[in-house]
Amino acid sequence: MDRRQFIRDIVLWSAGIALVTPRFAIRPEALAAEQASPLLSVAKGEDYPALVTRVLEPLGGMAHFVQPGDKVVVKPNIAWDRSPEQAANTHPLVVQALVVLALEAGAQRVLVFDRTCNEPRRCYANSGIEQAVRAIGDRRAVIEHVDQRKFIPVDITRGQSLTRWELYRDALECDCYINVPVAKHHGLSRLTLGLKNTMGVIGGNRGRLHFDLAQKLADLATVIQPKLTVIDATRILLRNGPQGGNLNDVRRMDTLIASADPVAADAYATTLFDLRPDAVKSTVVAHAMGLGEMDLGRIRVLEV
Protein backbone atom coordinates (compact mmCIF):
# COMPACT_ATOMS: atom_id res chain seq x y z
CA MET A 1 0.00 0.00 0.00
CA ASP A 2 1.28 3.47 -0.92
CA ARG A 3 0.52 5.28 2.33
CA ARG A 4 1.21 8.68 0.79
CA GLN A 5 -1.39 8.03 -1.90
CA PHE A 6 -3.90 6.93 0.75
CA ILE A 7 -3.37 10.18 2.67
CA ARG A 8 -3.72 12.19 -0.55
CA ASP A 9 -7.01 10.40 -1.18
CA ILE A 10 -8.19 11.37 2.31
CA VAL A 11 -7.26 15.02 1.77
CA LEU A 12 -9.00 15.16 -1.62
CA TRP A 13 -12.13 13.46 -0.28
CA SER A 14 -12.26 15.77 2.75
CA ALA A 15 -11.92 18.81 0.49
CA GLY A 16 -14.78 17.60 -1.69
CA ILE A 17 -12.50 17.31 -4.72
CA ALA A 18 -12.65 13.51 -4.99
CA LEU A 19 -15.91 11.57 -5.00
CA VAL A 20 -14.35 8.11 -4.54
CA THR A 21 -14.18 6.86 -0.96
CA PRO A 22 -10.56 6.44 0.26
CA ARG A 23 -9.49 2.80 0.06
CA PHE A 24 -6.93 1.17 2.29
CA ALA A 25 -5.24 -2.01 1.11
CA ILE A 26 -2.02 -3.67 2.20
CA ARG A 27 -0.44 -6.90 1.09
CA PRO A 28 -0.94 -9.67 3.71
CA GLU A 29 2.57 -10.97 3.09
CA ALA A 30 4.00 -7.57 3.98
CA LEU A 31 2.21 -7.63 7.32
CA ALA A 32 3.44 -11.13 8.07
CA ALA A 33 7.02 -10.16 7.28
CA GLU A 34 6.89 -7.15 9.58
CA GLN A 35 5.62 -9.22 12.49
CA ALA A 36 8.18 -12.06 12.31
CA SER A 37 9.60 -12.88 15.77
CA PRO A 38 8.22 -9.76 17.46
CA LEU A 39 9.90 -8.16 20.45
CA LEU A 40 7.84 -7.36 23.53
CA SER A 41 8.99 -5.47 26.60
CA VAL A 42 7.52 -5.73 30.09
CA ALA A 43 8.46 -3.41 32.93
CA LYS A 44 7.30 -3.09 36.53
CA GLY A 45 7.64 -0.24 38.98
CA GLU A 46 5.78 2.39 40.97
CA ASP A 47 7.31 5.45 39.29
CA TYR A 48 5.09 5.53 36.19
CA PRO A 49 6.92 8.22 34.15
CA ALA A 50 10.20 6.36 34.68
CA LEU A 51 8.43 3.11 33.91
CA VAL A 52 7.40 4.38 30.47
CA THR A 53 11.01 5.20 29.62
CA ARG A 54 12.22 1.83 30.87
CA VAL A 55 9.65 -0.24 28.97
CA LEU A 56 10.59 1.46 25.68
CA GLU A 57 14.35 1.06 26.05
CA PRO A 58 14.55 -2.56 24.75
CA LEU A 59 12.53 -1.46 21.70
CA GLY A 60 14.99 1.31 20.85
CA GLY A 61 13.30 4.08 22.83
CA MET A 62 10.76 6.54 21.53
CA ALA A 63 13.20 7.73 18.86
CA HIS A 64 12.77 4.36 17.16
CA PHE A 65 9.11 5.18 16.52
CA VAL A 66 8.96 8.99 16.29
CA GLN A 67 11.10 10.89 13.81
CA PRO A 68 11.81 14.64 13.94
CA GLY A 69 8.92 16.56 12.41
CA ASP A 70 6.40 13.74 12.85
CA LYS A 71 2.75 14.33 13.61
CA VAL A 72 1.96 11.90 16.41
CA VAL A 73 -1.27 10.60 17.88
CA VAL A 74 -1.22 9.16 21.40
CA LYS A 75 -4.54 7.32 21.74
CA PRO A 76 -5.43 6.39 25.33
CA ASN A 77 -8.73 5.15 26.69
CA ILE A 78 -10.62 8.18 28.04
CA ALA A 79 -14.05 6.67 27.49
CA TRP A 80 -15.44 6.75 31.01
CA ASP A 81 -16.26 9.27 33.72
CA ARG A 82 -13.94 7.53 36.18
CA SER A 83 -10.92 8.45 38.30
CA PRO A 84 -7.49 6.91 37.65
CA GLU A 85 -7.86 4.61 40.67
CA GLN A 86 -10.94 2.95 39.15
CA ALA A 87 -8.91 1.52 36.21
CA ALA A 88 -11.47 2.26 33.50
CA ASN A 89 -9.19 4.69 31.63
CA THR A 90 -5.49 4.83 30.82
CA HIS A 91 -3.42 6.23 33.68
CA PRO A 92 -2.75 9.96 33.12
CA LEU A 93 0.92 9.72 34.08
CA VAL A 94 1.48 7.05 31.44
CA VAL A 95 -0.14 9.25 28.80
CA GLN A 96 1.81 12.29 29.93
CA ALA A 97 5.14 10.45 29.81
CA LEU A 98 4.51 9.15 26.29
CA VAL A 99 3.65 12.64 25.04
CA VAL A 100 6.81 14.07 26.62
CA LEU A 101 9.00 11.37 25.09
CA ALA A 102 7.44 11.93 21.66
CA LEU A 103 8.16 15.65 21.93
CA GLU A 104 11.73 14.94 23.01
CA ALA A 105 12.11 12.71 19.95
CA GLY A 106 11.28 15.73 17.80
CA ALA A 107 7.56 15.42 17.13
CA GLN A 108 6.08 18.45 15.44
CA ARG A 109 2.76 17.86 17.22
CA VAL A 110 1.36 15.27 19.60
CA LEU A 111 -2.41 14.92 19.64
CA VAL A 112 -4.35 13.11 22.36
CA PHE A 113 -8.05 12.29 21.97
CA ASP A 114 -10.72 9.60 22.36
CA ARG A 115 -14.34 9.23 21.37
CA THR A 116 -15.84 8.81 24.81
CA CYS A 117 -18.83 6.78 25.99
CA ASN A 118 -19.79 9.05 28.89
CA GLU A 119 -20.04 12.84 28.61
CA PRO A 120 -16.73 13.96 27.03
CA ARG A 121 -15.88 16.88 29.31
CA ARG A 122 -16.37 14.79 32.45
CA CYS A 123 -14.32 11.94 31.00
CA TYR A 124 -11.44 14.17 30.01
CA ALA A 125 -11.41 15.96 33.37
CA ASN A 126 -12.07 13.12 35.81
CA SER A 127 -9.70 10.68 34.08
CA GLY A 128 -6.90 13.14 34.88
CA ILE A 129 -5.65 12.93 31.29
CA GLU A 130 -6.67 16.42 30.22
CA GLN A 131 -4.79 18.06 33.07
CA ALA A 132 -1.79 15.75 32.61
CA VAL A 133 -1.36 16.77 28.97
CA ARG A 134 -1.87 20.46 29.65
CA ALA A 135 0.60 20.33 32.54
CA ILE A 136 3.38 19.54 30.05
CA GLY A 137 3.25 23.20 29.10
CA ASP A 138 4.21 22.70 25.48
CA ARG A 139 1.98 24.07 22.70
CA ARG A 140 2.90 21.08 20.55
CA ALA A 141 1.10 18.81 23.04
CA VAL A 142 -2.61 19.04 22.27
CA ILE A 143 -5.59 17.32 23.88
CA GLU A 144 -8.88 17.94 22.15
CA HIS A 145 -12.39 16.57 21.95
CA VAL A 146 -13.41 14.53 18.94
CA ASP A 147 -14.74 16.62 16.06
CA GLN A 148 -17.55 14.74 14.32
CA ARG A 149 -16.67 16.46 11.04
CA LYS A 150 -13.34 14.61 10.99
CA PHE A 151 -14.85 11.15 10.54
CA ILE A 152 -14.50 10.03 6.93
CA PRO A 153 -15.68 6.84 5.20
CA VAL A 154 -12.93 4.39 4.32
CA ASP A 155 -13.22 1.23 2.23
CA ILE A 156 -11.57 -1.59 4.19
CA THR A 157 -10.43 -3.77 1.34
CA ARG A 158 -9.18 -6.63 3.52
CA GLY A 159 -12.22 -6.54 5.74
CA GLN A 160 -14.18 -9.77 6.04
CA SER A 161 -17.06 -8.61 8.22
CA LEU A 162 -16.51 -4.86 7.96
CA THR A 163 -15.78 -3.44 4.53
CA ARG A 164 -16.52 0.24 5.07
CA TRP A 165 -16.67 2.48 8.12
CA GLU A 166 -16.06 6.05 9.20
CA LEU A 167 -12.61 6.54 10.73
CA TYR A 168 -11.05 9.57 12.38
CA ARG A 169 -8.94 11.58 10.00
CA ASP A 170 -6.18 12.40 12.51
CA ALA A 171 -5.67 8.72 13.25
CA LEU A 172 -5.29 7.99 9.54
CA GLU A 173 -3.06 10.91 8.62
CA CYS A 174 -0.55 10.92 11.48
CA ASP A 175 3.02 9.77 10.95
CA CYS A 176 3.06 7.79 14.18
CA TYR A 177 0.01 6.31 15.91
CA ILE A 178 0.68 5.16 19.48
CA ASN A 179 -2.05 3.00 21.02
CA VAL A 180 -2.26 3.23 24.83
CA PRO A 181 -5.15 1.11 26.14
CA VAL A 182 -5.80 0.19 29.73
CA ALA A 183 -6.04 -3.56 30.37
CA LYS A 184 -9.47 -4.46 31.75
CA HIS A 185 -12.43 -6.81 31.75
CA HIS A 186 -15.16 -6.34 29.16
CA GLY A 187 -18.60 -7.88 29.34
CA LEU A 188 -18.83 -8.53 25.59
CA SER A 189 -15.29 -9.18 24.38
CA ARG A 190 -14.06 -10.68 27.69
CA LEU A 191 -11.10 -8.27 27.79
CA THR A 192 -10.51 -4.90 26.21
CA LEU A 193 -6.88 -4.32 25.22
CA GLY A 194 -5.15 -2.80 22.21
CA LEU A 195 -7.37 -4.01 19.39
CA LYS A 196 -10.53 -3.00 21.23
CA ASN A 197 -9.12 0.49 21.89
CA THR A 198 -9.56 1.19 18.17
CA MET A 199 -13.26 1.77 18.92
CA GLY A 200 -12.26 5.23 20.08
CA VAL A 201 -11.23 6.35 16.58
CA ILE A 202 -14.33 5.22 14.68
CA GLY A 203 -17.53 7.10 14.00
CA GLY A 204 -21.09 6.03 13.38
CA ASN A 205 -23.21 3.77 15.53
CA ARG A 206 -20.62 1.64 17.32
CA GLY A 207 -23.31 -0.65 18.65
CA ARG A 208 -23.69 -2.05 15.13
CA LEU A 209 -20.22 -3.56 15.45
CA HIS A 210 -21.12 -5.76 18.41
CA PHE A 211 -22.26 -8.61 16.18
CA ASP A 212 -19.15 -10.51 15.07
CA LEU A 213 -17.14 -7.99 17.07
CA ALA A 214 -13.85 -9.91 17.02
CA GLN A 215 -13.73 -10.05 13.23
CA LYS A 216 -14.69 -6.41 12.93
CA LEU A 217 -11.94 -5.37 15.33
CA ALA A 218 -9.46 -7.34 13.24
CA ASP A 219 -10.83 -5.74 10.08
CA LEU A 220 -10.30 -2.28 11.59
CA ALA A 221 -6.76 -3.32 12.53
CA THR A 222 -5.92 -3.69 8.85
CA VAL A 223 -6.33 0.09 8.59
CA ILE A 224 -5.54 1.49 12.06
CA GLN A 225 -2.01 0.17 12.48
CA PRO A 226 -0.12 1.55 15.49
CA LYS A 227 3.63 1.85 15.25
CA LEU A 228 3.71 1.24 18.99
CA THR A 229 1.30 -0.30 21.48
CA VAL A 230 1.78 0.38 25.19
CA ILE A 231 -0.69 -1.48 27.37
CA ASP A 232 -1.33 0.15 30.72
CA ALA A 233 -1.54 -2.53 33.40
CA THR A 234 -0.51 -0.27 36.24
CA ARG A 235 -3.88 -1.32 37.64
CA ILE A 236 -6.28 -3.66 35.89
CA LEU A 237 -10.06 -4.03 36.10
CA LEU A 238 -10.93 -7.65 36.86
CA ARG A 239 -14.72 -7.46 36.78
CA ASN A 240 -17.64 -5.27 35.73
CA GLY A 241 -15.83 -3.75 32.78
CA PRO A 242 -15.49 -1.78 30.74
CA GLN A 243 -16.87 0.98 32.96
CA GLY A 244 -16.11 -0.41 36.40
CA GLY A 245 -16.47 1.90 39.37
CA ASN A 246 -15.87 -0.41 42.33
CA LEU A 247 -12.33 -0.31 43.69
CA ASN A 248 -12.76 -3.92 44.84
CA ASP A 249 -12.71 -4.89 41.15
CA VAL A 250 -9.26 -3.34 40.67
CA ARG A 251 -5.89 -5.03 41.05
CA ARG A 252 -2.74 -2.94 41.16
CA MET A 253 -0.04 -4.45 38.92
CA ASP A 254 2.40 -1.53 38.35
CA THR A 255 3.12 -3.04 34.92
CA LEU A 256 3.51 -1.75 31.37
CA ILE A 257 3.70 -3.83 28.19
CA ALA A 258 5.14 -2.41 24.97
CA SER A 259 5.53 -3.82 21.47
CA ALA A 260 5.44 -2.82 17.83
CA ASP A 261 3.25 -5.90 17.33
CA PRO A 262 -0.30 -5.10 18.50
CA VAL A 263 -1.40 -8.74 18.56
CA ALA A 264 1.61 -9.81 20.62
CA ALA A 265 0.87 -7.03 23.11
CA ASP A 266 -2.74 -8.19 23.51
CA ALA A 267 -1.69 -11.83 23.74
CA TYR A 268 0.75 -11.21 26.57
CA ALA A 269 -1.58 -8.83 28.43
CA THR A 270 -4.23 -11.56 28.51
CA THR A 271 -1.98 -13.63 30.79
CA LEU A 272 -2.23 -10.94 33.48
CA PHE A 273 -5.83 -12.06 33.91
CA ASP A 274 -4.76 -15.73 34.23
CA LEU A 275 -6.10 -16.41 30.75
CA ARG A 276 -4.54 -17.84 27.61
CA PRO A 277 -4.21 -15.56 24.57
CA ASP A 278 -6.84 -17.59 22.69
CA ALA A 279 -9.41 -16.64 25.35
CA VAL A 280 -9.83 -13.31 23.54
CA LYS A 281 -11.34 -13.94 20.13
CA SER A 282 -10.14 -10.71 18.54
CA THR A 283 -6.55 -11.77 19.22
CA VAL A 284 -7.16 -15.11 17.51
CA VAL A 285 -8.81 -13.53 14.46
CA ALA A 286 -6.16 -10.80 14.06
CA HIS A 287 -3.42 -13.43 14.24
CA ALA A 288 -5.19 -15.53 11.60
CA MET A 289 -5.27 -12.48 9.32
CA GLY A 290 -1.52 -12.03 9.61
CA LEU A 291 -1.71 -8.89 11.73
CA GLY A 292 0.65 -10.12 14.43
CA GLU A 293 1.85 -12.99 16.58
CA MET A 294 -0.15 -14.54 19.43
CA ASP A 295 2.01 -17.59 20.18
CA LEU A 296 3.91 -16.62 23.32
CA GLY A 297 6.60 -19.13 22.41
CA ARG A 298 7.37 -17.12 19.26
CA ILE A 299 7.44 -13.73 20.98
CA ARG A 300 10.72 -12.45 22.40
CA VAL A 301 9.73 -11.19 25.84
CA LEU A 302 12.20 -8.95 27.66
CA GLU A 303 11.36 -8.25 31.30
CA VAL A 304 12.95 -4.97 32.36
Side-chain angles (χ1 to χ4, degrees):
M1 173 66 190
D2 186 338
R3 175 173 169 76
R4 286 176 296 181
Q5 181 59 53
F6 177 57
I7 292 177
R8 283 196 293 269
D9 292 345
I10 292 172
V11 172
L12 292 173
W13 190 94
S14 299
I17 298 172
L19 299 178
V20 178
T21 303
R23 294 171 59 85
F24 191 93
I26 191 166
R27 293 178 293 110
E29 59 271 21
L31 283 170
E34 289 176 3
Q35 302 300 338
S37 190
L39 179 65
L40 182 142
S41 175
V42 183
K44 296 184 178 182
E46 297 181 2
D47 183 342
Y48 295 166
L51 193 62
V52 172
T53 299
R54 284 172 47 213
V55 79
L56 295 184
E57 285 175 352
L59 306 181
M62 185 61 83
H64 181 72
F65 303 97
V66 175
Q67 305 302 311
D70 276 359
K71 295 179 181 178
V72 178
V73 165
V74 172
K75 168 56 179 73
N77 190 320
I78 325 176
W80 305 102
D81 180 11
R82 292 286 185 257
S83 68
E85 295 76 19
Q86 292 171 306
N89 302 306
T90 309
H91 198 287
L93 293 179
V94 173
V95 177
Q96 183 186 64
L98 286 167
V99 173
V100 169
L101 290 176
L103 293 172
E104 291 176 351
Q108 175 189 143
R109 183 174 187 255
V110 183
L111 176 63
V112 180
F113 67 88
D114 191 18
R115 183 185 174 194
T116 67
C117 297
N118 294 149
E119 200 277 323
R121 296 188 185 279
R122 295 201 313 269
C123 294
Y124 274 50
N126 294 335
S127 68
I129 293 176
E130 183 174 43
Q131 177 58 31
V133 174
R134 290 182 174 173
I136 295 170
D138 191 315
R139 295 195 333 194
R140 295 173 297 163
V142 178
I143 181 166
E144 63 184 27
H145 294 284
V146 163
D147 183 345
Q148 297 296 327
R149 296 169 297 181
K150 287 187 176 183
F151 286 108
I152 64 173
V154 174
D155 285 337
I156 305 170
T157 56
R158 286 197 63 213
Q160 297 181 24
S161 184
L162 194 67
T163 56
R164 177 182 287 194
W165 202 263
E166 291 184 350
L167 304 179
Y168 204 58
R169 179 173 173 176
D170 287 322
L172 296 170
E173 290 185 341
C174 66
D175 301 297
C176 179
Y177 181 86
I178 301 174
N179 194 20
V180 200
V182 61
K184 57 180 178 176
H185 168 263
H186 192 282
L188 182 62
S189 59
R190 193 158 193 180
L191 297 180
T192 171
L193 302 165
L195 291 171
K196 184 68 168 57
N197 202 39
T198 303
M199 297 287 280
V201 300
I202 68 173
N205 181 358
R206 293 182 292 191
R208 290 173 51 199
L209 272 63
H210 288 167
F211 174 76
D212 200 18
L213 177 62
Q215 181 62 61
K216 287 171 179 160
L217 291 176
D219 292 342
L220 288 169
T222 66
V223 180
I224 303 297
Q225 298 175 352
K227 282 192 175 180
L228 172 65
T229 296
V230 179
I231 295 184
D232 172 18
T234 56
R235 61 280 179 275
I236 63 176
L237 185 61
L238 300 174
R239 295 170 295 275
N240 298 314
Q243 185 168 195
N246 188 338
L247 293 180
N248 292 328
D249 294 333
V250 177
R251 176 187 295 167
R252 182 163 175 172
M253 302 288 287
D254 294 330
T255 299
L256 292 179
I257 299 163
S259 181
D261 183 326
V263 180
D266 277 14
Y268 186 90
T270 304
T271 67
L272 301 181
F273 295 83
D274 299 322
L275 296 171
R276 292 167 49 91
D278 59 10
V280 179
K281 191 174 179 182
S282 59
T283 305
V284 177
V285 176
H287 170 69
M289 293 182 69
L291 300 174
E293 183 58 70
M294 65 173 286
D295 184 347
L296 298 179
R298 295 178 179 270
I299 300 170
R300 291 180 292 158
V301 178
L302 296 179
E303 296 186 1
V304 182

